Amino acid sequence: MTTHASGSDQDLHTDLALPAAHPLRDGRTGAAPLLTAYRGEQTTGHPVWFMRQAGRSLPEYLAVRTGTGMLEACLTPDLAAEITLQPVRRHHVDAAILFSDIVVPLKLAGIGVEIVPGTGPVVDSPIRTAADVAALPELDPTALAPIIAAAANCVEALGGTPLIGFAGAPFTLASYLVEGGPSREHLRTKALMHADPDTWHALAGWVARVTGSFLRAQILAGASAVQLFDSWAGGLSLADYQRFVARHSADVFAAVADLPVPKVHFGVNTGELLAAMRDTGADVMGVDHRVPLDVANARLGGTTPLQGNIDPALLFAGDKALYAATLEAIAAGATAPGHVLNLGHGVPPDTDPDVLTRLVAFIHDQP
Ligand code: 1CP
């Protein structure tokens, strides 16, 4: 989607790529402030949502998750939909983000992966050799049925509030497959790129196909925007990003390029990579809290709507400091063609949810 095209025959034509009941085609979400800002148009007021807004900061999440594993919850459509809606009901955020995880499509493709409480995704047999990559199963699209059902349930309940679909980008997902679990330095992943580029590209290409199908399914089921998380790409130099990663992220965006929903791209510590990441095919760039939004806007040439970027640590600093930082983000974001408020990374699990509810009200009160 082109961020500045509006009202042209081309829009009419591309909208037809969505199913007739899609909320962007039947008019439910098109005028939502989130989508207006993502298109780079003026909004009245400031749309806001939070990465990881569902989950452990909410007592109602802990209550419905009792006795159910994380991936089992993601694959139970009614439960995944309920968890997706919880933060919208409580905080009145401007978007829902599907409750799922970046490793869900790996699981659906047949990879042995679990989410271990307190750790994160852990892979039974790490993928490190050409033979490991050659043996990776292709994702059968029918396996995505529980994701499609969960997204459709959410969209039905959300009315005019957009659902954001998401997926993990090839580098970030490949890093879990190669390392076998969470990693700070991604040493084995980076070593594989340089030692055996063919195997690396085969692995990243496989992830790009799985991720492309996962995103496509969420959009066709009713998501009005998508976000591709390359959370750990900030560990790469620009040269390595260009050489080993950009083409695979571009393949993911290419897999959904015909579907006219805004595509957001985000990573942590990616100040040096912002333009390269945008150029893989993103319409909107998510920015973490290390780079002020006016600086990010300048780095992107002033043409790309932005999302972000309150430091999650400010959620623990008291309302005065939090609101001062929020006003700074609003002022810096106003330099970009469009701006959606968010944190610079996910909501920490021990956040007081009332702080988030008050923050949303404060943001919505701003002119
Ligand atoms: O039992 C639990 O509650 C497990 C905690 C949890 C939750 C709530 C995990 C394990 N994943 C999730 C849901 C999740 N994951 C969402 C839900 C939607 C929302 O935002 O409300 C999303 C968008 C994700 C995406 C995700 N998973 C990312 C990208 C976003 C980011 O934070 O950078 C990543 C890197 C993961 C991997 C992952 N899954 C879970 C954890 C703890 C981690 C990170 C582990 C690590 O540090 O490497």
Side-chain angles (χ1 to χ4, degrees):
M1 156 170 174
T2 349
T3 45
H4 297 293
S6 65
S8 65
D9 287 353
Q10 196 196 346
D11 282 354
L12 201 63
H13 172 72
T14 51
D15 274 357
L16 295 176
L18 297 171
H22 192 283
L24 273 176
R25 255 191 89 182
D26 69 19
R28 264 175 289 166
T29 57
L34 178 94
L35 297 179
T36 305
Y38 278 167
R39 287 192 299 263
E41 296 162 10
Q42 283 297 314
T43 53
T44 44
H46 303 276
V48 55
W49 67 279
F50 302 116
M51 292 184 277
R52 301 285 185 106
Q53 62 191 14
R56 282 172 299 171
S57 64
L58 300 184
E60 59 270 37
Y61 169 80
L62 296 172
V64 295
R65 267 291 312 281
T66 308
T68 308
M70 172 66 194
L71 291 178
E72 188 189 343
C74 295
L75 296 174
T76 307
D78 289 352
L79 184 55
E82 165 59 23
I83 295 172
T84 303
L85 299 173
Q86 286 175 346
V88 181
R89 284 190 207 115
R90 182 190 267 261
H91 302 311
H92 306 292
V93 280
D94 292 273
I97 179 161
L98 183 68
F99 182 77
S100 192
D101 192 79
I102 58 169
V103 298
V104 164
L106 305 182
K107 177 91 176 171
L108 295 176
I111 302 290
V113 56
E114 284 307 326
I115 292 183
V116 175
T119 301
V122 175
V123 177
D124 295 347
S125 313
I127 308 297
R128 292 177 183 163
T129 66
D132 295 338
V133 174
L136 286 168
E138 288 301 318
L139 173 65
D140 173 357
T142 61
L144 292 167
I147 305 306
I148 293 168
N153 285 359
C154 295
V155 169
E156 178 76 35
L158 279 165
T161 302
L163 176 71
I164 301 173
F166 77 92
F171 174 74
T172 292
L173 270 176
S175 83
Y176 287 103
L177 290 170
V178 175
E179 308 290 338
S183 149
R184 257 175 192 278
E185 302 289 345
H186 315 290
L187 295 178
R188 284 177 187 272
T189 314
K190 293 202 241 176
L192 174 66
M193 285 176 170
H194 287 273
D196 188 353
D198 291 346
T199 298
W200 163 258
H201 285 299
L203 173 60
W206 179 85
V207 175
R209 289 193 294 283
V210 168
T211 280
S213 307
F214 185 54
L215 278 186
R216 207 173 165 85
Q218 293 172 70
I219 299 170
L220 293 176
S224 291
V226 286
Q227 177 156 324
L228 186 64
F229 286 92
D230 210 350
S231 300
W232 311 139
L236 295 167
S237 67
L238 177 59
D240 280 358
Y241 180 83
Q242 299 281 29
R243 191 166 152 210
F244 295 113
V245 174
R247 76 182 82 165
H248 302 292
S249 297
D251 284 345
V252 176
F253 285 122
V256 291
D258 60 316
L259 301 177
V261 304
K263 289 134 193 131
V264 186
H265 202 8
F266 167 79
V268 181
N269 236 326
T270 46
E272 298 296 326
L273 305 181
L274 285 175
M277 288 176 70
R278 188 265 317 273
D279 293 344
T280 65
D283 302 305
V284 178
M285 283 307 297
V287 180
D288 85 354
H289 43 279
R290 291 165 186 84
V291 180
L293 292 173
D294 52 336
V295 175
N297 180 53
R299 288 184 189 178
L300 290 164
T303 54
T304 303
L306 299 180
Q307 176 172 279
N309 69 349
I310 304 163
D311 187 336
L314 270 295
L315 298 172
F316 303 87
D319 287 354
K320 191 164 171 251
L322 175 61
Y323 296 167
T326 301
L327 292 176
E328 274 175 33
I330 288 175
T335 62
H339 175 219
V340 170
L341 261 295
N342 205 313
L343 302 174
H345 197 190
V347 173
D350 50 347
T351 302
D352 174 354
D354 291 342
V355 171
L356 292 175
T357 307
R358 288 199 303 273
L359 177 59
V360 173
F362 176 79
I363 291 168
H364 284 162
D365 278 348
Q366 301 310 307

